[in-house]
């Protein structure tokens, strides 16, 4: 069986979690990075990680779509107060989709992103970055902050920014969208395996509007694995070993499995 790590999942948004986690274990998942998005979800993520110690590892973040002015300080203070328990700062980043920009404009998003990046630098934590339609700015802010370890999660941006992400030694992560999404497939092809991670971004629905659409769970990490292996023309076993080793190194995990 494969040893796989789901490096980005929103577990607090998934019902019947005990069963879902058991299914993930049976599918070869050995760890899940549970990312937080706002004040409440950060609390839930810590709680879930406690209940599944040694399997679920918490990341604390503030997603650009969840910026609530009234909660800003409280959320940032919470992240810093609980920093010792977090393996990563995430999900953080920028999202220039029109719908998101009406909730929080570019300036506000950037200032919040800088704050969270500052916490990561201060406590030497890697970051999990959301960069939809904001690829160039997200990359610039990450480098300007002096971040050394980052994953640009589910990246679908331009090749020129991708090249710079790779040259900087940052990671990119593959979701099940590698099965059908052209931009994402190109990214997976162009990124060296040594800089790739696997994830599901559960419970995201993949293939919206298609007959094959499905709401993802961490057990679907196999679809990310298979998609990467096909795209790279490599053996699934080799892709699993290398991407898992990458994740263990980035998040400093020590996982013991039989
Ligand atoms: Zn996410």
């Amino acid at each position: 069986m494969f040893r796989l790590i789901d490096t980005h999942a929103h577990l607090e948004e998934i019902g019947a979690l005990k069963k879902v986690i058991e299914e993930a274990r049976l599918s070869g998942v050995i760890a899940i990075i549970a990312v937080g998005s706002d004040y409440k979800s950060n609390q839930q993520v810590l709680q879930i990680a406690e209940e599944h110690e040694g399997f679920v590892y918490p990341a604390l973040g503030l997603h650009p779509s969840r910026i609530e002015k009234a909660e800003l300080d409280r959320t940032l203070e919470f992240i810093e107060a609980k920093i010792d328990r977090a393996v990563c700062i995430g999900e953080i980043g920028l999202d220039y989709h029109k719908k998101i920009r009406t909730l929080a404009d570019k300036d506000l998003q950037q200032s919040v992103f800088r704050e969270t990046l500052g916490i990561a630098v201060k406590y030497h934590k890697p970051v999990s970055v959301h960069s939809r339609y904001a690829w160039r700015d997200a990359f610039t802010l990450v480098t300007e902050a002096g971040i050394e370890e980052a994953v640009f999660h589910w990246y679908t941006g331009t090749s020129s920014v991708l090249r710079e992400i790779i040259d900087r030694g940052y990671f990119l992560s593959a979701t099940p969208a590698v099965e059908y999404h052209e931009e994402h497939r190109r990214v997976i092809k162009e990124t060296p395996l040594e800089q790739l991670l696997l994830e599901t971004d559960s419970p995201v629905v993949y293939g919206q509007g298609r007959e094959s659409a499905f709401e993802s769970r961490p057990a679907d990490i196999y679809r990310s694995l298979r998609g990467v292996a096909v795209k790279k023309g490599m053996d699934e076993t080799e892709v699993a070993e290398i991407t898992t080793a990458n994740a263990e190194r980035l998040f400093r995990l020590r996982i013991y499995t039989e």
Side-chain angles (χ1 to χ4, degrees):
M1 186 143 74
F2 300 116
R3 290 171 82 248
L4 300 170
I5 299 178
D6 186 351
T7 60
H8 188 115
H10 298 268
L11 295 186
E12 83 286 3
E13 296 176 21
I14 298 175
L17 192 57
K18 271 214 170 85
K19 193 168 148 252
V20 164
I21 284 181
E22 201 43 42
E23 280 167 6
R25 282 186 199 275
L26 294 172
S27 310
V29 175
I30 57 166
I32 301 171
I33 309 297
V35 295
S37 305
D38 58 19
Y39 183 74
K40 185 164 172 237
S41 91
N42 283 330
Q43 288 182 311
Q44 291 171 315
V45 155
L46 288 178
Q47 177 70 33
I48 293 167
E50 207 164 284
E51 286 162 14
H52 302 276
E53 215 196 317
F55 190 78
V56 174
Y57 297 85
L60 300 175
L62 182 44
H63 194 285
S65 69
R66 304 284 184 84
I67 295 173
E68 290 262 1
K69 281 184 196 150
E71 295 238 316
L72 259 183
D73 290 345
R74 188 159 90 120
T75 308
L76 294 170
E77 277 161 23
F78 183 81
I79 294 173
E80 210 165 344
K82 303 290 182 187
I83 195 77
D84 286 350
R85 293 171 61 191
V87 297
C88 174
I89 298 297
E91 179 168 1
I92 56 173
L94 303 173
D95 192 320
Y96 291 171
H97 188 286
K98 216 169 124 199
K99 239 167 55 188
I100 311 297
R101 275 191 287 118
T102 53
L103 300 170
D105 63 23
K106 283 187 185 184
D107 281 352
L108 179 58
Q109 287 191 32
Q110 289 183 11
S111 92
V112 171
F113 190 28
R114 281 199 185 91
E115 295 257 11
T116 49
L117 290 169
I119 297 175
V121 168
K122 186 172 169 190
Y123 296 98
H124 308 288
K125 299 284 179 184
V127 292
S128 188
V129 178
H130 175 104
S131 56
R132 186 166 65 152
Y133 306 133
W135 304 294
R136 169 60 62 191
D137 284 358
F139 175 75
T140 303
L141 264 63
V142 167
T143 52
E144 276 178 5
I147 293 285
E148 282 176 12
E149 297 174 298
V151 50
F152 285 77
H153 114 91
W154 194 354
Y155 181 86
T156 55
T158 63
S159 278
S160 62
V161 176
L162 174 64
R163 189 60 17 232
E164 292 180 57
I165 291 172
I166 293 169
D167 289 347
R168 254 339 250 236
Y170 297 143
F171 288 91
L172 294 113
S173 55
T175 72
V178 68
E179 290 176 348
Y180 61 86
H181 191 279
E182 270 328 301
E183 280 77 28
H184 193 46
R185 288 164 69 82
R186 174 180 48 75
V187 168
I188 300 313
K189 188 156 186 271
E190 290 175 16
T191 303
L193 198 57
E194 288 63 33
Q195 282 168 265
L196 265 184
L197 306 176
L198 304 179
E199 59 149 313
T200 63
D201 206 10
S202 309
V204 160
V205 175
Y206 290 96
Q208 289 266 23
R210 295 167 190 240
E211 213 177 305
S212 57
F214 69 102
E215 188 180 289
S216 58
R217 296 287 179 265
D220 295 310
I221 193 78
Y222 175 69
R223 302 175 78 130
S224 311
L225 169 70
R226 186 181 52 197
V228 171
V230 168
K231 199 69 206 156
K232 293 217 166 279
M234 288 175 74
D235 191 55
E236 287 179 1
T237 309
E238 195 180 350
V239 173
E241 277 171 14
I242 295 173
T243 53
T244 293
N246 293 343
E248 289 177 304
R249 205 168 63 244
L250 178 65
F251 300 112
R252 297 166 198 119
L253 307 177
R254 285 198 199 89
I255 302 162
Y256 301 99
T257 45
E258 291 114 57

